[in-house]
Amino acid sequence: MGEYRQLFDASVADPCAFWAQAARAVTWTRAPRRILDDSHPPFYRWFPDGELNTCANALDRHIEARGDQAALIYDSPVTGTQRVYTYRELLDATARFAGVLRDLGVGKGDRVVLYMPMIPEAVIAMLACARLGAVHSVVFGGFAAHELATRIDDAQPVAIVSASCGIEPTRVVDYKPMLDHALGLASHKPAACVIVQRDKHTCDLVSGRDIDWTSAMASAEPVDPVPVAATDPLYVLYTSGTTGKPKGIVRDNGGHAVALLWSMRHIYDIDAGDVFWAASDVGWVVGHSYIVYGPLLAGATTVLYEGKPIGTPDPGAFWRVVAEHGVKALFTAPTAIRAIRKEDPQASHADRYDLSGLKYLFQAGERLDPDTYAWATEKLGVPVVDHWWQTETGWAIAANPMGVQHLPLKAGSPTVPMPGYDVRILRVDGSQCEPNEEGAICISLPLPPGTLPTLWGDDARYEASYLCEHPGYYLTGDGGYLDEDGYLFVMGRIDDVINVAGHRLSTGSIEAVLAAHPAVAECAVIGVADEIKGQVPRGFVVLKAGASAEGLAEELVAAVREEIGAVACFRLVDVVPALPKTRSGKILRKTMRGIAHGKDEPVPSTIEDPTVLETLKPILQGP
Ligand code: COA
Ligand code: AMP
């Protein structure tokens, strides 16, 4: 483990020296002299006296050397469009859109919510916010009005940027009515909404509030980058917690730029001029870090793909994009590979394209099962690199650092902790597990640069969610173990978060929708295994006395789609006579999960009525 081990040890022995060195890759308007402010543990701030602009680092500083190089390739099989933006063109559009936002009153520290499909305007709007020192908060397009409204109320944006529609393979998703509905539900009312009208479907604009993107851009004046403190927020990205209320993950400017630049070179082996493609969505952290900021900070070319791995038009879609744009590294979720494999088990579509430029397939978002790993390795003939991270960390906690050293891969393991992440496996009592003993995966504080400094407007929830369980450590929410070689194995969440097709969802928020139905007395939602999506949610409801079960399942499925969004993939719901509980009334979700996964789950001694579990068993083990 020579070179990797040296780097890792250096990062743990002297984090300040390690990250001070890494920070040299960033262009600062005021270089940091202090590297870490650790005066208020468990809160830490990286580069506290540094000052920079993230957009200037992603665009302006590349103009001299690579102004005419492609910065962004937009490839949209769902609209039959391709468009290349050079660094110069992307900077021009971004500076002008920053002018549009400034004229709407957006300034340093103000929030802007983006509810956008995978179009270049989404990237431009993110970078324009960064240019102004404003804070963007992107909401994934697959979320419906209620989820959007919750985020609007929490972020309190000055403006919203959206589009007339998103385009899914089988339907056009009308974004505007969802936005209007969300604004009706939210207590906070932003003054302006900028709307991108798409050819496929245009929408009505509300007079006095909505502004057409194209007209606004026609008269916009470009804006120069505004320097901000390294510790100022760049964005807030909401993610599912264990309750229905999403957590606003805060990302700062300085630590983020330093960490992402480090990761592009050392983890992904990407340099300026290389083509990198993260086949994710700008609504997720992968999209933030590796569609937008990481590749652009590095002077690479990023691909923005508006399509799916299958059906747009066939399971060769990914291989076409890789070949056509000369992609060196592809980053996607295992679910996408499983979907391709199901439709094209022999990978015959891959043979239609020249994939010789592809050097790596990176996988994250959910556990990479050994079958999918073996299939992709055999069919692509390149290293298939699993790496593990979360919205909270913004970059990989564990990976195989391709730009440092190719460590031997072990199926089922995302390899080893990355520099700065001192990973420990802890027992419930806080003691450390032995090698190969499963426990809670924790990270010694301080976390490295680029990770969350807190939750938006809620330091107390940040502490309660991540730092209180094991003082001195960040609780990742995942369980797993380190083997005798120091390889990490991530076995799954130990809380009520589930991962559906690489999308992170809270079973608590689905339960909140079910519980609101007038016929439902109580309910539980758990994640169950799915061949393609990894996990899907499954609901169990108990009726109120006298309520009818007729048509209830359909109504509940529709309600979840309406409230949370299609992305929840909620289709399985059973009416059951009772739910298993402890004597203090806590529903035994973990036990239910275990039984549904065919485990020989021990019956907890605290169970109130063991016969309830016996009755439920065949239903849980059924289809
Ligand atoms: N806007 C609006 N609706 C969206 C959406 C978006 N951005 N993204 C997904 N949806 C909708 C879909 O249309 C679908 O609706 P439907 O129930 O009417 O069919 C629903 O949400 C579920 O979508 P999805 O999870 O994408 O499932 P799918 O069956 O359409 O496709 C896969 C399955 C595996 C091909 C797809 O999930 C996939 O590509 N996953 C990769 C995920 C990923 O990259 N995650 C990021 C982590 S790295
Ligand atoms: P998100 O915040 O949406 O990126 O989801 C983070 C969660 O996804 C993690 O806490 C894990 O449960 C899961 N996850 C992400 N990457 C991996 C991986 N490579 N292996 C196992 N689980 C993963």
Side-chain angles (χ1 to χ4, degrees):
M1 288 209 195
E3 287 163 72
Y4 153 74
R5 177 53 64 191
Q6 268 180 19
L7 269 184
F8 179 81
D9 288 350
S11 78
V12 175
D14 190 349
C16 288
F18 185 91
W19 294 111
Q21 173 67 27
R24 295 203 183 132
V26 168
T27 303
W28 303 87
T29 48
R30 188 173 66 221
R33 291 203 298 189
R34 256 184 103 191
I35 302 305
L36 176 67
D37 176 0
D38 54 2
S39 56
H40 295 95
F43 294 87
Y44 298 88
R45 295 287 183 271
W46 287 96
F47 314 111
D49 58 359
E51 202 184 76
L52 76 164
N53 181 278
T54 296
C55 176
N57 272 274
L59 299 178
D60 305 60
R61 72 168 174 158
H62 301 308
I63 295 300
E64 203 178 311
R66 50 192 74 253
D68 296 324
Q69 177 200 301
L72 178 83
I73 300 173
Y74 168 57
D75 185 310
S76 168
V78 291
T79 58
T81 318
Q82 284 196 13
R83 178 155 182 209
V84 178
Y85 287 75
T86 63
Y87 269 95
R88 206 180 306 283
E89 288 166 335
L90 193 58
L91 171 59
D92 173 63
T94 299
R96 282 190 298 120
F97 192 63
V100 171
L101 291 176
R102 188 191 52 187
D103 291 349
L104 294 174
V106 176
K108 195 165 162 173
D110 290 335
R111 273 81 57 215
V112 178
V113 162
L114 314 185
Y115 184 56
M116 306 281 278
M118 286 284 285
I119 54 177
E121 288 83 351
V123 178
I124 291 165
M126 290 166 79
L127 292 165
C129 290
R131 195 167 189 81
L132 291 170
V135 182
H136 59 70
S137 186
V138 185
V139 179
F140 177 61
F143 282 126
H146 178 264
E147 292 289 311
L148 177 57
T150 312
R151 288 154 174 79
I152 291 172
D153 273 340
D154 200 67
Q156 308 259 310
V158 171
I160 293 186
V161 185
S162 188
S164 53
C165 67
I167 300 160
E168 287 291 291
T170 52
R171 67 198 165 100
V172 170
V173 184
D174 227 346
Y175 275 24
K176 189 59 178 12
M178 278 194 277
L179 173 61
D180 290 340
H181 185 194
L183 286 169
L185 293 172
S187 329
H188 174 79
K189 309 286 175 202
C193 299
V194 185
I195 308 293
V196 179
Q197 293 279 21
R198 304 194 71 188
D199 294 344
K200 193 96 175 180
H201 170 82
T202 55
C203 62
D204 293 335
L205 300 183
V206 175
S207 155
R209 187 197 73 188
D210 297 346
I211 296 154
D212 172 56
W213 172 289
T214 310
S215 342
M217 284 290 267
S219 55
E221 287 294 323
V223 167
D224 284 336
V226 176
V228 296
T231 51
D232 280 344
L234 169 68
Y235 69 76
V236 177
L237 179 58
Y238 288 89
T239 191
S240 303
T242 49
T243 66
K245 188 175 183 286
K247 292 169 172 166
I249 305 299
V250 176
R251 192 81 60 216
D252 67 10
N253 276 272
H256 175 251
V258 171
L260 288 195
L261 265 169
W262 189 92
S263 72
M264 288 310 294
R265 169 140 333 143
H266 296 88
I267 298 179
Y268 300 104
D269 190 22
I270 291 292
D271 272 314
D274 288 337
V275 182
F276 187 76
W277 176 26
S280 177
D281 188 288
V282 288
W284 304 117
V285 68
V286 176
H288 282 62
S289 294
Y290 295 114
I291 294 175
V292 183
Y293 290 109
L296 297 178
L297 286 165
T301 300
T302 186
V303 179
L304 182 76
Y305 175 71
E306 188 182 27
K308 299 267 173 175
I310 51 171
T312 58
D314 56 41
F318 273 22
W319 319 133
R320 173 191 66 76
V321 174
V322 166
E324 243 172 66
H325 305 305
V327 171
K328 177 175 172 184
L330 165 61
F331 175 170
T332 186
T335 187
I337 302 298
R338 286 196 296 269
I340 294 171
R341 179 187 178 190
K342 187 165 186 217
E343 289 209 352
D344 182 18
Q346 298 312 318
S348 51
H349 283 270
D351 298 337
R352 292 163 45 207
Y353 301 99
D354 175 7
L355 302 181
S356 57
L358 184 70
K359 298 288 178 251
Y360 310 105
L361 172 65
F362 288 92
Q363 295 270 277
E366 53 174 324
R367 182 164 181 267
L368 173 59
D369 56 284
D371 255 15
T372 306
Y373 165 74
W375 185 84
T377 305
E378 187 207 322
K379 301 299 179 201
L380 294 175
V382 298
V384 175
V385 185
D386 184 13
H387 61 327
W388 167 65
W389 50 299
Q390 338 182 284
T391 307
E392 286 85 344
T393 64
W395 64 287
I397 307 167
N400 195 330
M402 290 291 114
V404 177
Q405 185 184 4
H406 291 207
L407 296 168
L409 292 158
K410 291 193 190 185
S413 166
T415 320
V416 288
M418 286 298 90
Y421 290 105
D422 186 2
V423 172
R424 304 295 171 104
I425 312 293
L426 301 184
R427 301 189 182 107
V428 176
D429 66 5
S431 59
Q432 297 212 24
C433 293
E434 297 297 326
N436 297 311
E437 180 188 345
E438 213 173 311
I441 311 180
C442 297
I443 304 165
S444 282
L445 295 175
L447 295 172
T451 56
L452 80 169
T454 189
L455 293 178
W456 181 250
D458 203 343
D459 285 350
R461 189 175 180 203
Y462 170 60
E463 276 194 89
S465 307
Y466 303 105
L467 309 177
C468 286
E469 182 95 6
H470 297 295
Y473 296 92
Y474 165 84
L475 181 76
T476 65
D478 282 295
Y481 61 91
L482 286 160
D483 75 2
E484 56 288 342
D485 298 324
Y487 276 59
L488 183 68
F489 287 77
V490 181
M491 305 311 289
R493 298 288 306 196
I494 48 177
D495 54 17
D496 294 323
V497 167
I498 57 172
N499 246 293
V500 180
H503 310 314
R504 175 167 160 182
L505 297 167
S506 141
T507 53
S509 65
I510 302 175
E511 286 179 3
V513 177
L514 305 188
H517 191 285
V520 173
E522 55 184 0
C523 62
V525 173
I526 58 170
V528 294
D530 180 84
E531 191 197 347
I532 298 294
K533 300 197 174 196
Q535 276 187 308
V536 287
R538 182 168 178 196
F540 300 88
V541 297
V542 178
L543 293 182
K544 280 188 185 152
S548 159
E550 210 186 313
L552 179 64
E554 291 75 17
E555 281 175 34
L556 293 174
V557 166
V560 171
R561 195 176 167 93
E562 168 72 19
E563 293 270 310
I564 296 176
V567 70
C569 270
F570 181 73
R571 297 203 176 92
L572 307 171
V573 56
D574 285 283
V575 176
V576 295
L579 291 169
K581 289 186 195 163
T582 61
R583 282 188 287 275
S584 60
K586 198 167 168 275
I587 296 172
L588 291 164
R589 292 181 181 77
K590 184 168 170 285
T591 311
M592 290 171 68
R593 274 201 303 266
I595 295 171
H597 287 114
K599 284 190 193 158
D600 191 12
E601 199 64 34
V603 178
S605 57
T606 52
I607 196 162
E608 184 189 32
D609 178 359
T611 62
V612 172
L613 199 57
E614 282 310 311
T615 317
L616 202 58
K617 244 184 192 168
I619 303 173
L620 280 165
Q621 289 168 338

